[in-house]
Amino acid sequence: MDTLTHIVLGAVIGEALAGKKLGKKALLFGAIAQSLPDIDFVASSWLDTSHDVLAHRGITHSFLFILLVTPLLAWAGGKLNLGSGSKVMGEIGRAPKTEGRRRSDGGPGMTRRAWLLFFGLELFIHIFLDAFNAYGTGWFEPFDHYRVSFNVLFVADPFYSSWLGISFLALLLLGRNSRRRKFWVRFGLIASSSYLCYCVMNKYRVDMLVRKELQRQHIVYDRYFTTPTPLNSWLWYIVAEDTAGYHTGYLSLFDRQRAIPFRYFPRNDSLLRFSSFRSREDVRALLRFSEGYYTLEQWKDTLVFNDLRFGEMKGWEDPKARFVFHYYLQYPGNNRVIVQRGRFAGWDGQTFRAFIRRIRGN
């Protein structure tokens, strides 16, 4: 999910786990802990683009990372007395030895076990939620490079995040001892979780309709996936793979007619086989990252690698739409912010209105 969602989600979970013991500091510690797996963004400082996209949501989004980092954070929480007041911090040096040992085990009001639960749950929820997007999350790194992708939520969905944002603001404004804090914690977590469950049901329904439509159109496929289009859970992007390429299409849950107009994109793998590109490190990284959902296209004098999982630029209305994720093989230096550079390319007020009409159904 996007950074803002992780911040507000982490803050609300922090309040739920430790608000009574840490006060409003639970919001801060929760937001930091929930955001920690995204520290892999620093890899972009020294990695080229192809290896950077592969590193993101890799080892820092693994179970191994949680197992190694959680005890360290819990130890720091106890050792530094995170959440204790400045008065308590100032008295530590004068405290009896037995009291000092008690505080080093977990700090006032927070035992070591409580810190383990706090940080472990925050980190786990981060990597669990990220797996609901199309990007893929490396739960099993470095032992297995398989990426977990449920394709249920778009990476930024205001219908999921807004409830948590409202709760976060309420918790920030309310007094530490306000009885209404419990209500706002429940509000944010229950509303966002209910929407997530609704999205899972939408996913199930869309997959069922897509399988029926592929069968009706006699489209033979080896595998397929469906994933929501930007900022919603009603208009879905479809990719069905056969031995030579991919059928792509769009389905809104509000469509009155279930006939899906598919377009076909050949993989054009021969463009790699008969060139020196396949032996390049960046191409090998892209092939692994794309999980096999890729095409090659010739754009004038440039060979372009497309990762189909991230959708098309306004593909629901433009039959000649290009793919969001496109990598210039001849010009690797021109591939910064590759995942997002085409996400909203060419969007304006008219485009947004057309997008809303398509969501509302044909």
Side-chain angles (χ1 to χ4, degrees):
M1 299 300 292
D2 62 286
T3 301
L4 183 58
T5 297
H6 282 304
I7 289 174
V8 295
L9 174 61
V12 175
I13 293 174
E15 171 70 22
L17 294 175
K20 291 183 178 179
K21 298 175 181 178
L22 301 180
K24 290 190 178 182
K25 290 182 181 178
L27 301 174
L28 174 62
F29 298 150
I32 293 173
Q34 177 74 200
S35 303
L36 193 59
D38 283 338
I39 197 173
D40 56 14
F41 80 91
V42 301
S44 61
S45 301
W46 65 83
L47 293 177
D48 62 81
T49 301
S50 62
H51 290 88
D52 182 32
V53 295
L54 197 57
H56 183 48
R57 296 199 186 178
I59 188 68
T60 64
H61 286 63
S62 67
F63 294 131
L64 178 63
F65 180 82
I66 295 177
L67 290 174
L68 293 177
V69 173
T70 298
L72 293 176
L73 294 174
W75 173 83
K79 197 72 175 177
L80 301 177
N81 288 286
L82 294 178
S84 60
S86 58
K87 181 178 180 181
V88 174
M89 294 288 284
E91 294 175 349
I92 289 176
R94 299 191 296 274
K97 290 184 178 181
T98 55
E99 180 68 12
R101 283 196 298 271
R102 182 184 72 81
R103 284 173 178 163
S104 68
D105 283 344
M110 286 290 283
T111 65
R112 185 66 54 81
R113 182 175 297 178
W115 280 120
L116 284 169
L117 175 64
F118 184 92
F119 289 116
L121 191 59
E122 289 280 13
L123 295 174
F124 173 76
I125 289 176
H126 180 118
I127 71 168
F128 179 71
L129 187 60
D130 275 358
F132 281 81
N133 308 144
Y135 196 99
T137 306
W139 283 0
F140 311 109
E141 293 283 357
F143 311 107
D144 192 323
H145 298 318
Y146 173 73
R147 295 277 183 130
V148 182
S149 303
F150 299 141
N151 293 298
V152 170
L153 285 173
F154 187 71
V155 67
D157 190 330
F159 297 97
Y160 175 83
S161 306
S162 58
W163 314 110
L164 295 165
I166 293 170
S167 293
F168 171 73
L169 291 175
L171 293 169
L172 205 59
L173 296 173
L174 287 172
R176 171 175 178 168
N177 298 318
S178 173
R179 295 182 178 180
R180 289 182 293 172
R181 297 186 72 83
K182 185 180 293 186
F183 166 81
W184 285 109
V185 168
R186 291 175 177 173
F187 172 83
L189 295 179
I190 292 175
S192 60
S193 298
S194 298
Y195 178 75
L196 180 59
C197 291
Y198 171 71
C199 293
V200 171
M201 291 189 293
N202 285 350
K203 169 77 172 178
Y204 175 79
R205 184 181 173 193
V206 166
D207 282 358
M208 182 178 61
L209 293 171
V210 167
R211 287 194 297 268
K212 288 182 178 179
E213 183 61 14
L214 289 170
Q215 183 178 21
R216 188 189 70 82
Q217 295 190 32
H218 306 291
I219 295 176
V220 179
Y221 61 96
D222 298 322
R223 58 177 181 161
Y224 78 97
F225 74 84
T226 60
T227 194
T229 55
L231 310 176
N232 78 104
S233 181
W234 300 288
L235 179 61
W236 292 70
Y237 167 64
I238 307 155
V239 176
E241 178 189 30
D242 62 22
T243 56
Y246 309 88
H247 303 266
T248 70
Y250 293 86
L251 172 68
S252 170
L253 288 171
F254 303 113
D255 282 343
R256 289 172 289 280
Q257 295 183 351
R258 297 302 185 190
I260 302 173
F262 286 101
R263 289 179 291 160
Y264 190 76
F265 293 89
R267 188 177 297 107
N268 290 327
D269 205 28
S270 60
L271 294 175
L272 281 183
R273 287 200 301 268
F274 300 113
S275 69
S276 61
F277 287 120
R278 185 176 283 274
S279 62
R280 281 177 22 180
E281 290 246 347
D282 60 339
V283 174
R284 287 202 295 267
L286 290 170
L287 289 170
R288 176 180 150 192
F289 175 68
S290 68
E291 300 179 353
Y293 286 108
Y294 70 91
T295 66
L296 281 300
E297 292 181 324
Q298 192 74 44
W299 295 4
K300 297 182 180 179
D301 64 337
T302 305
L303 186 61
V304 176
F305 182 99
N306 300 306
D307 188 327
L308 277 62
R309 296 172 303 151
F310 298 95
E312 302 164 312
M313 303 179 194
K314 303 184 294 182
W316 52 87
E317 66 171 358
D318 183 3
K320 297 181 180 179
R322 290 177 171 175
F323 292 100
V324 168
F325 186 112
H326 52 277
Y327 183 94
Y328 307 122
L329 293 178
Q330 273 98 341
Y331 308 101
N334 294 341
N335 291 303
R336 305 306 297 174
V337 295
I338 186 172
V339 176
Q340 302 297 340
R341 65 178 171 191
R343 178 73 69 190
F344 296 104
W347 280 58
D348 54 22
Q350 182 177 354
T351 300
F352 185 75
R353 288 189 292 272
F355 180 55
I356 297 300
R357 286 196 297 270
R358 183 63 190 90
I359 290 175
R360 292 171 61 184
N362 289 329

